[in-house]
């Protein structure tokens, strides 16, 4: 298959709507969603009633600003408030296909409808085609990523190697022996595989058969993209979404930003007030996915970006997100997983010897590294601490023990020192 074959194809009608058609499409989808959610979701009904918002009076997209923002971190508390995940769901949990668990902890429900997470159009835009054999390196246990990304590949006629993370030498052996053509995972793990392969004496361009890669879960620099595309001789594109709502945006071949998926309406809002900002202004990504089962209306993701509407050479007419430029809060996404300070604190409080702590995140060579720094005297429970950290956070950090009083008086719980150029 040539690179041209991977960049051309037939778009769905919704991908090429003009501005007025798209606005009308959004208004119809949102009005239907608001009415349904108010009727069947106890949480939505409470939110709307508190705000004195009447779904029946929704007329234009600007009316959405009257609905209070729902912060992602609020889901941790809301889901514990009663049946149907605190009333966030519009059906009983036994009617779903799966329920996952993400860090937080936050439950992520999956309904039984086709392409529930909405990634098929994004994977097609990235260059996956029927007949590809794709290695998925996201976890398949508890968190949704592995199965979430397998479904669009099935829809496009691809075969999947459900590899999950880890076992780098085995991953490379599979890629070589089965002539795997596609990769799905984090960019840092692909760089790790590249380094491991070179250490093993592989010529990544000649001994492997990779043609296309989809990456997500981490900030993705152009320097890292260029490095990996050169090493593997592949087309490499990224997507953006969350475990709560699925696909929000994705890149096409031309790399002009993240095309907003047709399954969602995205606003860029002021992080403090929730007021929508003008195109080009940086603010928090607030998404309303057209999901009647789990209607997270105006969900604030905590990520910062901006809207771009200039025409894209690919022909898709959807608005686009610019790059993800940072986070609003103190959470960090490390190796594709959210790390919440309150979860770290829950681990640390089990160890009376630890006086203070800080997490430092770096990315030497484009690979995320997390180091837990603790202040303690005569600390001898390192393995116990690391085991409980991994059990709670799903990641194993490096550990540095320093004397009490070493850390500065005022510190951020998570110090992100990653560089992206």
């Amino acid at each position: 298959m040539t690179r041209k074959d991977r960049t051309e194809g037939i778009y769905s009608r919704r991908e090429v709507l003009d501005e007025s058609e798209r606005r009308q499409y959004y208004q119809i989808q949102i009005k239907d969603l608001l009415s349904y959610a108010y009727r069947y979701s106890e949480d939505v009904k409470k939110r709307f009633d508190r705000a004195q918002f009447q779904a029946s009076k929704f007329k234009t997209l600007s009316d959405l600003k009257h609905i209070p923002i729902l912060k992602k971190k609020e889901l941790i508390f809301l889901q514990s408030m009663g049946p149907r995940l605190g009333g966030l769901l519009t059906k009983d949990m036994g009617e779903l296909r799966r329920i996952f668990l993400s860090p937080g902890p936050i439950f992520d429900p999956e309904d039984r409808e086709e392409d529930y997470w909405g990634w098929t159009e994004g994977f097609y835009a990235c260059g996956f085609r029927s007949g590809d054999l794709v290695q998925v390196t996201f976890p398949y246990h508890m968190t949704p990523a592995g199965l979430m990304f397998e479904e669009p590949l099935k829809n496009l006629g691809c075969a999947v190697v459900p590899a999950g993370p880890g076992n780098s030498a085995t991953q490379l052996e599979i890629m070589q022996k089965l002539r795997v053509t596609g990769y799905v995972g984090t960019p840092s793990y692909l760089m790790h595989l590249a380094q491991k392969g070179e250490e093993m004496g592989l010529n990544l361009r000649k001994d492997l058969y990779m043609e296309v890669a989809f990456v997500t879960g981490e900030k993705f620099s152009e320097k890292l993209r260029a490095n990996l595309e050169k090493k593997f001789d592949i087309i490499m594109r990224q997507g953006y979404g969350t475990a709560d709502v699925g696909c929000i945006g994705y890149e096409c071949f031309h790399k002009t930003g993240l095309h907003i998926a047709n399954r969602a309406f995205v606003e860029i809002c002021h992080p403090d007030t929730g007021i929508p900002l003008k195109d080009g202004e940086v603010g928090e990504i607030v998404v309303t996915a057209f999901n009647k089962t789990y209607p997270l209306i105006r969900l604030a993701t905590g990520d910062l970006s901006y809207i771009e509407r200039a025409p894209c050479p690919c022909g898709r007419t959807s608005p686009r997100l610019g790059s993800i430029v940072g986070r609003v809060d103190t959470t960090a996404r490390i190796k594709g997983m959210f790390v919440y300070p309150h979860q770290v604190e829950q681990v640390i409080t089990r160890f009376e010897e630890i006086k203070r702590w800080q997490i430092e995140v770096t990315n030497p060579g484009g690979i995320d590294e997390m180091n837990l720094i603790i202040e303690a005297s005569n600390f001898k429970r390192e393995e116990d601490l690391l085991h409980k950290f991994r059990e709670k956070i799903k990641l194993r950090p490096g550990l540095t023990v320093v004397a009490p009083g070493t850390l500065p008086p005022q510190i951020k719980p998570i110090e992100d020192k990653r560089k992206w150029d």
Side-chain angles (χ1 to χ4, degrees):
M1 184 178 292
T2 67
R3 293 204 172 203
K4 186 176 181 182
D5 293 329
R6 293 195 180 277
T7 60
E8 294 184 344
I10 300 171
Y11 306 147
S12 71
R13 173 74 181 97
R14 284 182 297 179
E15 289 180 273
V16 292
L17 297 174
D18 64 31
E19 186 175 347
S20 137
E21 290 172 327
R22 186 167 296 280
R23 181 168 289 273
Q24 185 180 24
Y25 166 72
Y26 284 149
Q27 288 175 180
I28 291 170
Q29 294 293 322
I30 292 173
K31 185 173 181 62
D32 189 31
L33 175 68
L34 298 182
S35 299
Y36 188 92
Y38 183 79
R39 183 176 179 183
Y40 294 106
S41 165
E42 292 180 19
D43 179 76
V44 169
K45 187 177 189 306
K46 289 175 185 175
R47 282 177 65 202
F48 286 12
D49 288 349
R50 281 196 300 265
Q52 297 184 320
F53 177 83
Q54 297 182 44
S56 60
K57 292 189 176 180
F58 173 83
K59 301 296 181 187
T60 67
L61 297 177
S62 61
D63 292 336
L64 265 185
K65 67 177 179 286
H66 301 300
I67 301 174
I69 293 288
L70 175 63
K71 293 285 186 180
K72 182 181 172 76
K73 286 196 291 188
E74 291 179 55
L75 297 178
I76 301 169
F77 170 73
L78 290 174
Q79 289 185 344
S80 67
M81 295 302 290
R84 293 185 170 186
L85 297 182
L88 290 162
L89 283 168
T90 60
K91 59 172 61 174
D92 293 334
M93 287 193 280
E95 298 177 75
L96 303 172
R97 180 191 296 168
R98 301 183 184 96
I99 300 173
F100 298 97
L101 180 65
S102 290
I106 297 175
F107 292 104
D108 304 311
E110 178 187 13
D111 207 351
R112 301 181 185 185
E113 65 190 68
E114 185 79 8
D115 198 26
Y116 174 80
W117 302 102
W119 284 104
T120 301
E121 67 176 279
F123 272 50
Y124 186 83
C126 291
F128 290 90
R129 295 294 183 267
S130 177
D132 277 324
L133 175 59
V134 184
Q135 200 145 318
V136 177
T137 64
F138 280 111
Y140 277 74
H141 177 64
M142 295 294 278
T143 57
L147 290 166
M148 178 191 290
F149 295 130
E150 183 171 311
E151 186 174 15
L153 295 167
K154 177 198 74 174
N155 293 341
L156 292 173
C158 305
V160 169
V161 178
N167 301 311
S168 305
T170 303
Q171 298 258 12
L172 289 162
E173 184 181 5
I174 291 169
M175 287 178 172
Q176 186 175 17
K177 287 186 175 179
L178 297 185
R179 299 192 171 214
V180 168
T181 56
Y183 168 90
V184 173
T186 63
S188 65
Y189 189 62
L190 187 58
M191 175 56 79
H192 173 72
L193 290 176
Q195 293 173 352
K196 182 72 174 178
E198 288 168 344
E199 288 171 9
M200 293 165 59
L202 289 177
N203 183 322
L204 301 176
R205 297 168 69 97
K206 292 182 178 179
D207 297 332
L208 301 182
Y209 304 85
M210 298 255 285
E211 296 181 26
V212 60
F214 166 89
V215 296
T216 189
E218 298 171 347
K219 194 174 172 87
F220 184 40
S221 71
E222 287 304 315
K223 181 178 179 181
L224 180 57
R225 188 206 305 263
N227 195 355
L228 286 168
E229 286 190 328
K230 184 177 180 180
K231 283 179 179 291
F232 287 97
D233 189 24
I234 54 173
I235 298 170
M236 193 170 187
R237 298 295 179 264
Q238 64 177 320
Y240 170 69
T242 74
D244 318 283
V245 300
C247 179
I248 297 173
Y250 54 85
E251 284 184 322
C252 68
F253 182 74
H254 297 278
K255 300 181 294 186
T256 56
L258 295 153
H259 289 273
I260 293 172
N262 291 298
R263 63 190 297 273
F265 177 71
V266 171
E267 305 166 87
I268 299 296
C269 298
H270 191 285
D272 297 324
T273 65
I275 295 173
L277 301 176
K278 296 177 181 177
D279 289 353
E281 293 183 328
V282 172
E284 186 170 12
I285 299 171
V286 175
V287 59
T288 299
F290 310 140
N291 182 343
K292 291 181 177 179
T293 299
Y294 192 47
L296 301 178
I297 296 160
R298 297 200 82 204
L299 178 71
T301 64
D303 293 317
L304 295 169
S305 189
Y306 55 93
I307 291 285
E308 171 65 62
R309 295 187 192 272
C312 179
C314 77
R316 294 175 179 84
T317 58
S318 55
R320 301 185 302 284
L321 290 171
S323 59
I324 309 300
V325 299
R327 290 283 300 170
V328 171
D329 53 25
T330 54
T331 64
R333 189 179 279 194
I334 305 167
K335 295 185 178 180
M337 302 292 285
F338 278 107
V339 176
Y340 294 87
H342 77 269
Q343 280 192 294
V344 179
E345 187 64 32
Q346 287 171 359
V347 175
I348 298 297
T349 52
R350 300 183 187 184
F351 300 83
E352 294 180 0
E353 313 97 299
I354 300 176
K355 307 304 179 187
R356 300 172 72 219
W357 62 272
Q358 184 183 48
I359 285 177
E360 185 177 89
V361 192
T362 56
N363 60 340
I367 298 174
D368 283 357
E369 289 187 2
M370 173 173 54
N371 190 44
L372 174 61
I373 304 168
I374 60 170
E375 288 187 353
S377 299
N378 300 317
F379 189 71
K380 297 179 180 179
R381 301 171 64 193
E382 287 91 344
E383 278 306 313
D384 190 22
L385 171 60
L386 293 175
H387 173 74
K388 285 184 167 54
F389 192 99
R390 184 181 183 113
E391 191 176 61
K392 187 77 173 179
I393 315 296
K394 311 302 182 191
L395 296 171
R396 182 183 172 94
L399 180 64
T400 301
V401 182
V402 297
T406 303
L407 292 170
Q410 299 294 326
I411 57 171
K412 296 179 181 178
I414 301 177
E415 183 71 29
D416 196 337
K417 295 184 175 181
R418 289 176 288 191
K419 297 180 180 178
W420 308 104
D421 3 274

